[in-house]
Structure formats: C-alpha cells, structure tokens
Amino acid sequence: MHGCDLLVVGSANADLVVGVDRRPEPGETVLGSDLAVHAGGKGANQAVAAARLGARTALLARVGDDPHGRLLLGSLESAGVDTAGVLTGDAPTGVALITVDPSGDNSIVVSPGANARLTPDDVRDAGELLAAARVVSLQLEIPPATVAAAVRAAAEAGTRVVLNPSPPAPVPGDVLAACDPLVVNEHEARFLLRGHAAAGEGSASEASTPEASTPEASTPEASTPEDWAAALLDRGPRSVVVTLGPEGALVARPEGTVRVPSLSVDPVDTTGAGDAFTGALAWRLGAGDDLEAAVRFAVRVGAAAVTRPGAQESFPTESEVAEVVRALAEGGTCEPSGHPDDVSGPAGGERR
C-alpha cells in the first residue's frame, strides 16, 4: 500500500528577489526594486507543484529554525504537502539570491545552508517514507552522496526514480541507470555529455571529483535534442526527457523519441516552470500514466505556471490547467484566475 503518490527528496530555499533594469556586469553595481521574499528551492517547488495538482506528496528536506524556514513550512503545509520529513535545525535555511531583468531573464546564486546538511543518514532514517512512495523525485541542490543514497534506497524498494540533475553536476553511473526518466534541459544535457557521467562508472564521491568536471572536457558533436537524448540514453538511464522551454519537451526511450509541443502562452515569469513541469510529470507517472502521457500533461502545467509571477505562487491546480487549455482553445486570455494580481516575483530563463 503506497502512503503517497510522490516523495520529493531535495532542497528548500527562501528566494530573495530583486528586479533590475539590466543585470550588472562584473564589478558593476546597479539599483534594483524592493526586495521580495518567496518560498522556493527545487525540491520544495516540485512538492508544492504536485500537491497543488492533487497529488499526495511528501518532502524530505532540511530547513533552519529561522523565519525563512517557517516561511517554507507554511507554504508547504498550505499546499497540502506532508512535512513530516522536513527536518529543522543545524544550519540557516538555504537562500537563493535572484536578480530579474525586464525581459524575464534571471541570474541566481544559491547559498545551500541547511540543504547541505541533508545526509545519507537522513535518507536511511526516512526508509519507510521512501518505501511508501510510488515515485521519488530528486534534484542536485543537496549533497551528491545524499542523492545517491536516496536513489539506491528507492531502487531497492522498487520505487520509480525521476532525477533532474540541476544545478548540473556529475552523476554516478548506477544513479543514472535508475532514472526513469532523467529530466534535463539543454544546459544540463550538454554538461552530462561532456564526460561527466558514464553508466557503471564511479561512486558518488568519484563522480564529483574536480578532474571529472573540468571545463576542458570535450563537448559532443550532438547538436539537436534528439541527439542529446540518444547520447544520454547510452549513458544508462531507462528514459530521458529533454525540456525545450516554449517548444515543449522531447521524450526518449530505447524504442524511439517523440516531441511533445507546449501551449502557446505569453510568459509573465518562467521561474519555477521547470520544477512545476517535473513535479507534474512525477505525479502523473505515479498515477499510472505512461511517460508520453505524463509529459503531455506536464508541459501544460509548465505553460500555465509561466502565465503568473512567482515560483510556488504561480503553480496551478488541475482545474486551472484545464482553464488555460480551454481559454487558448477559445482564443481568449491564457491567465488562469485564483491568484492575486499583486504577487511580485522573479522571472527567468533558467526556469528553477
């Protein structure tokens, strides 16, 4: 009996956001807008996105015993996320420092804080939570050894693993081999294909050595998403999903690839869209959808998310996704209702 549809193992950050007319050059100071503080972090974002859609979702993470930690717990609980696995203390809550320009592009620096203290021992202590989940979703804003421990525990329990290797970092071969799917954007795909991961090679610590991640490593000739996906499949994951921003996504399995188009919307804020996509994808896989069907749903969720400002504040419910689809079909506005118009937040091409 599964206790939850989705367990997210990952980060929880407070996003500190400043709008700028343009992002500063090295050594330059620019003035910005008033500071806005939002609940964020790739792990918390995915958990909130799935819960808003109706998934029974839990999060395994660490936050500090401080105002930012309380902000995150409140946001998670209000979305319906089970926070029994959110551990408190030991370090300040992680923080993301985000600047946003008028075009919607962002630059992000993350101070991991408590996220860096989520350990393999925490994963072992959460064994029942892992075993009770249909799907476990992970990212790389927590220590590599913790990610590896969670993936291996999930694999031993027969739980499906979804991994988004963001921010890009080397991934051990046995972790890649458990991914179904590995979810990457262009930047993450190219990083992994520069020799930073190979099926069956290395431990978590070995995969993270500086020698393994030198920028001089050769860039592959692959130049299309289909090329990237095929090359990544050769590294060991059971399936690969390449996100293509406004163009949708590519689904790749050993039997072939298929492109899934996105909805045509006018983006307001792309921050968190990638996390909304991955959270939706992981939930639908746990609900029994095949990979292509799950991706078709996830691209609609990601498209709906970019029509509103903020990260977690922008994540739609299932009915709001249907509202966006219906509005576009009728040629009307694509902005779903149900959220305040005065929520300010980041926008950006990185799509946290």
Side-chain angles (χ1 to χ4, degrees):
M1 183 69 179
H2 293 285
C4 63
D5 300 316
L6 174 63
L7 171 65
V8 180
V9 182
S11 60
N13 295 324
D15 289 348
L16 309 185
V17 187
V18 175
V20 293
D21 289 334
R22 59 181 179 82
R23 286 176 287 175
E25 300 293 335
E28 181 183 19
T29 299
V30 299
L31 295 178
S33 67
D34 291 344
L35 177 71
V37 182
H38 303 278
K42 298 190 73 64
N45 284 352
Q46 289 183 13
V48 168
R52 284 252 177 90
L53 292 165
R56 296 175 301 161
T57 309
L59 176 66
L60 176 59
R62 274 195 178 274
V63 299
D65 184 12
D66 53 33
H68 288 154
R70 290 186 281 279
L71 167 73
L72 286 161
L73 284 169
S75 178
L76 291 162
E77 290 166 356
S78 67
V81 176
D82 183 344
T83 59
V86 179
L87 309 173
T88 302
D90 295 337
T93 300
V95 171
L97 309 174
I98 306 174
T99 58
V100 188
D101 71 18
S103 72
D105 285 332
N106 62 18
S107 295
I108 303 173
V109 177
V110 175
S111 172
N115 295 307
R117 276 72 168 183
L118 189 67
T119 68
D121 285 342
D122 295 328
V123 172
R124 283 188 284 272
D125 291 342
E128 290 185 6
L129 200 57
L130 279 155
R134 294 179 183 273
V135 174
V136 172
S137 182
L138 306 102
Q139 329 75 39
L140 300 184
E141 287 185 335
I142 56 176
T146 306
V147 172
V151 169
R152 291 162 186 158
E156 290 174 5
T159 302
R160 189 167 189 164
V161 172
V162 175
L163 173 65
N164 171 217
S166 179
V171 180
D174 66 326
V175 171
L176 277 180
C179 296
D180 191 15
L182 176 73
V183 181
V184 294
N185 62 18
E186 175 181 355
H187 180 55
E188 294 148 7
R190 290 187 180 278
F191 181 93
L192 291 177
L193 291 174
R194 281 199 294 264
H196 300 302
E201 294 181 4
S203 65
S205 58
E206 291 168 340
S208 303
T209 59
E211 293 80 3
S213 57
T214 55
E216 292 78 11
S218 61
T219 301
E221 294 300 320
S223 59
T224 70
E226 286 80 4
D227 292 334
W228 311 330
L232 285 169
L233 281 174
D234 287 341
R235 303 297 177 100
R238 301 176 189 182
S239 59
V240 173
V241 172
V242 182
T243 58
L244 305 173
E247 297 179 15
L250 175 77
V251 180
R253 292 163 290 196
E255 58 268 29
T257 63
V258 61
R259 287 213 183 205
V260 176
S262 184
L263 302 176
S264 179
V265 300
D266 294 325
V268 171
D269 183 340
T270 63
T271 303
D275 298 328
F277 174 95
T278 304
L281 168 65
W283 170 49
R284 292 314 306 167
L285 290 174
D289 285 1
D290 65 26
L291 183 58
E292 183 178 337
V295 169
R296 289 190 184 280
F297 179 75
V299 297
R300 295 183 173 196
V301 172
V306 305
T307 65
R308 296 187 294 219
Q312 292 182 18
E313 301 97 324
S314 74
F315 295 160
T317 63
E318 192 168 11
S319 64
E320 288 170 339
V321 175
E323 183 182 335
V324 169
V325 174
R326 183 171 58 254
L328 289 171
E330 296 172 352
T333 178
C334 64
E335 183 175 353
S337 59
H339 285 253
D341 293 331
D342 61 352
V343 175
S344 61
E350 191 199 359
R351 303 170 77 93
R352 276 176 54 81

